Coordinates of all heavy atoms in Angstrom, one line a residue:
I1 N -165.6 85.8 65.6 CA -166.7 86.8 65.2 C -166.2 88.2 65.5 O -165.7 88.5 66.6 CB -168.0 86.5 66.1 CG1 -168.4 85.0 65.9 CG2 -169.1 87.4 65.7 CD1 -169.6 84.6 66.7
V2 N -166.4 89.0 64.5 CA -166.1 90.5 64.6 C -167.3 91.3 64.4 O -168.1 91.0 63.5 CB -165.0 90.8 63.6 CG1 -164.8 92.4 63.6 CG2 -163.7 90.1 63.8
S3 N -167.5 92.3 65.3 CA -168.7 93.2 65.2 C -168.1 94.6 65.2 O -167.4 94.9 66.1 CB -169.7 92.9 66.2 OG -170.8 93.9 66.2
N4 N -168.5 95.5 64.3 CA -168.1 96.9 64.4 C -169.3 97.8 63.9 O -170.4 97.3 63.8 CB -166.8 97.1 63.5 CG -167.0 96.6 62.1 OD1 -168.0 96.8 61.5 ND2 -165.9 96.1 61.6
Y5 N -169.0 99.0 63.6 CA -170.1 99.9 63.2 C -170.7 99.5 61.9 O -171.9 99.7 61.6 CB -169.5 101.3 63.0 CG -169.3 102.1 64.2 CD1 -168.0 102.6 64.6 CD2 -170.3 102.5 65.1 CE1 -167.8 103.3 65.7 CE2 -170.1 103.2 66.2 CZ -168.8 103.6 66.6 OH -168.6 104.3 67.7
D6 N -170.0 98.8 61.0 CA -170.4 98.5 59.6 C -171.0 97.1 59.4 O -171.8 96.9 58.5 CB -169.2 98.8 58.7 CG -168.7 100.2 58.7 OD1 -169.6 101.1 58.9 OD2 -167.5 100.4 58.6
Y7 N -170.5 96.1 60.2 CA -170.9 94.8 59.9 C -170.7 93.8 61.0 O -169.9 94.2 62.0 CB -170.2 94.2 58.6 CG -168.7 94.2 58.7 CD1 -168.0 93.2 59.4 CD2 -168.0 95.2 58.1 CE1 -166.6 93.2 59.4 CE2 -166.6 95.2 58.1 CZ -165.9 94.2 58.8 OH -164.6 94.2 58.8
I8 N -171.3 92.6 60.9 CA -170.9 91.5 61.8 C -170.4 90.4 60.9 O -170.9 90.2 59.8 CB -172.2 91.0 62.5 CG1 -172.7 92.0 63.5 CG2 -171.8 89.7 63.3 CD1 -174.1 91.6 64.1
E9 N -169.2 89.9 61.2 CA -168.6 88.9 60.4 C -168.2 87.6 61.2 O -167.5 87.7 62.2 CB -167.4 89.4 59.6 CG -166.7 88.5 58.7 CD -165.6 89.1 57.9 OE1 -165.9 89.9 56.9 OE2 -164.4 88.9 58.2
I10 N -168.6 86.5 60.7 CA -168.2 85.2 61.3 C -167.2 84.6 60.3 O -167.4 84.4 59.1 CB -169.4 84.2 61.4 CG1 -170.5 84.8 62.3 CG2 -169.0 82.9 61.9 CD1 -171.6 85.5 61.6
S11 N -166.0 84.2 60.9 CA -164.9 83.7 60.1 C -164.6 82.3 60.7 O -164.3 82.1 61.8 CB -163.7 84.5 60.1 OG -163.9 85.8 59.6
A12 N -164.6 81.3 59.8 CA -164.4 79.9 60.2 C -163.4 79.2 59.2 O -163.4 79.5 58.0 CB -165.6 79.1 60.3
T13 N -162.5 78.4 59.8 CA -161.6 77.6 59.0 C -161.6 76.2 59.5 O -161.9 75.9 60.7 CB -160.1 78.1 59.0 OG1 -159.6 78.0 60.4 CG2 -160.0 79.6 58.6
G14 N -161.3 75.3 58.6 CA -161.2 73.9 59.1 C -160.7 73.0 58.0 O -160.3 73.4 56.9
K15 N -160.5 71.7 58.3 CA -160.0 70.7 57.3 C -161.0 70.7 56.1 O -162.2 70.8 56.3 CB -159.9 69.3 58.0 CG -158.9 69.2 59.1 CD -158.9 67.8 59.7 CE -160.3 67.5 60.4 NZ -160.2 66.2 61.0
A16 N -160.4 70.4 55.0 CA -161.2 70.4 53.7 C -162.3 69.3 53.8 O -163.5 69.5 53.3 CB -160.4 70.1 52.5
D17 N -162.0 68.2 54.5 CA -163.0 67.1 54.5 C -164.1 67.4 55.6 O -165.0 66.6 55.8 CB -162.4 65.7 54.8 CG -161.5 65.7 56.0 OD1 -161.6 66.6 56.8 OD2 -160.9 64.7 56.3
S18 N -164.0 68.5 56.3 CA -165.0 68.9 57.3 C -165.9 70.0 56.8 O -166.6 70.6 57.6 CB -164.3 69.4 58.6 OG -163.4 68.4 59.1
F19 N -165.9 70.2 55.5 CA -166.6 71.3 54.9 C -168.1 71.2 55.3 O -168.7 72.2 55.7 CB -166.5 71.3 53.4 CG -167.2 72.4 52.6 CD1 -166.9 73.7 52.9 CD2 -168.1 72.1 51.7 CE1 -167.6 74.7 52.3 CE2 -168.8 73.1 51.0 CZ -168.5 74.4 51.3
L20 N -168.7 70.1 55.1 CA -170.1 69.9 55.4 C -170.5 70.2 56.9 O -171.5 70.9 57.2 CB -170.7 68.5 55.0 CG -170.8 68.3 53.6 CD1 -171.3 66.9 53.3 CD2 -171.8 69.3 52.9
S21 N -169.6 69.7 57.8 CA -169.8 70.0 59.2 C -169.7 71.5 59.5 O -170.5 72.0 60.3 CB -168.8 69.2 60.0 OG -168.9 67.9 59.9
M22 N -168.8 72.2 58.8 CA -168.6 73.6 59.0 C -169.9 74.3 58.6 O -170.5 75.2 59.3 CB -167.4 74.1 58.3 CG -166.1 73.7 58.8 SD -164.7 74.1 57.7 CE -164.8 75.9 57.8
L23 N -170.4 74.0 57.4 CA -171.6 74.7 56.8 C -172.8 74.4 57.7 O -173.5 75.4 58.0 CB -171.9 74.1 55.4 CG -171.2 74.8 54.2 CD1 -171.6 74.1 53.0 CD2 -171.3 76.3 54.2
E24 N -173.0 73.2 58.1 CA -174.2 72.9 59.0 C -174.1 73.6 60.3 O -175.1 74.2 60.7 CB -174.2 71.4 59.2 CG -175.5 71.0 60.0 CD -175.6 69.5 60.2 OE1 -174.6 68.8 59.9 OE2 -176.7 69.0 60.6
T25 N -172.9 73.7 60.9 CA -172.8 74.4 62.2 C -173.0 75.9 62.1 O -173.7 76.5 62.9 CB -171.4 74.1 62.8 OG1 -171.1 72.7 62.9 CG2 -171.2 74.8 64.1
L26 N -172.5 76.4 61.0 CA -172.6 77.9 60.8 C -174.1 78.2 60.4 O -174.6 79.2 60.9 CB -171.7 78.4 59.7 CG -170.2 78.3 60.0 CD1 -169.3 78.6 58.7 CD2 -169.8 79.3 61.1
A27 N -174.7 77.4 59.6 CA -176.0 77.7 59.2 C -177.0 77.7 60.3 O -177.9 78.5 60.5 CB -176.5 76.7 58.1
T28 N -176.8 76.7 61.2 CA -177.7 76.5 62.4 C -177.6 77.7 63.3 O -178.6 78.2 63.8 CB -177.4 75.2 63.1 OG1 -177.5 74.1 62.3 CG2 -178.3 75.1 64.3
A29 N -176.4 78.2 63.5 CA -176.2 79.3 64.4 C -176.6 80.6 63.8 O -177.2 81.5 64.5 CB -174.7 79.4 64.8
V30 N -176.4 80.8 62.5 CA -176.6 82.2 61.9 C -178.1 82.3 61.5 O -178.7 83.3 61.7 CB -175.7 82.4 60.8 CG1 -176.0 83.7 60.0 CG2 -174.2 82.4 61.2
A31 N -178.6 81.3 60.8 CA -179.9 81.4 60.3 C -181.0 81.2 61.3 O -182.1 81.8 61.1 CB -180.1 80.3 59.2

């Protein structure tokens, strides 16, 4: 996670077959 004067950005990478797990984890935390 990067935060500066202009924005907050969450960057995540993972295995291709973990795409749904990544989305669900990120959505729960951000939304």
Side-chain angles (χ1 to χ4, degrees):
I1 304 176
V2 173
S3 177
N4 56 36
Y5 283 118
D6 300 323
Y7 58 80
I8 296 171
E9 182 174 283
I10 299 98
S11 300
T13 63
K15 297 179 295 184
D17 59 6
S18 301
F19 181 60
L20 284 180
S21 294
M22 293 173 64
L23 274 183
E24 184 177 12
T25 302
L26 293 171
T28 300
V30 174

